[in-house]
Amino acid sequence: MFPTPEQIKKYIADGLACSHLEVEGDGQHFTALIVSDAFAGKRPIQRHQLVYAALGDRMREEIHALSMKTLTPEEFQK
């Protein structure tokens, strides 16, 4: 059974405080727009690591591919 975009969204939201979160996908490939204060002062790779940590083992077991755009609330407003 493949995860739905709604499930991926819940997984991320459960592990990372987000002010805005969008997830789209077809069950194997997903794209996400993630806005969080936790990204402040972090490089893109560090931001992605925070999302991977929120997803935990699901990244290896359930999710085939995830493309992310990670922004702070200030970056999102621009």
Side-chain angles (χ1 to χ4, degrees):
M1 183 173 134
F2 296 118
T4 65
E6 293 78 21
Q7 287 173 311
I8 303 301
K9 186 174 180 178
K10 182 180 178 338
Y11 298 155
I12 294 170
D14 285 350
L16 182 67
C18 302
S19 57
H20 184 87
L21 179 57
E22 297 174 24
V23 178
E24 297 178 355
D26 62 7
Q28 291 185 313
H29 301 88
F30 296 92
T31 59
L33 171 60
I34 307 162
V35 181
S36 176
D37 284 323
F39 298 147
K42 297 203 172 22
R43 294 173 300 165
I45 188 71
Q46 293 170 311
R47 295 175 181 198
H48 289 196
Q49 288 170 337
L50 287 173
V51 177
Y52 293 143
L55 291 168
D57 290 339
R58 292 179 183 99
M59 203 55 219
R60 286 191 306 272
E61 298 169 1
E62 296 176 38
I63 304 166
H64 178 67
L66 175 64
S67 174
M68 296 178 250
K69 185 168 190 175
T70 53
L71 303 171
T72 65
E74 294 77 20
E75 293 166 340
F76 182 64
Q77 292 300 320
K78 292 181 182 178

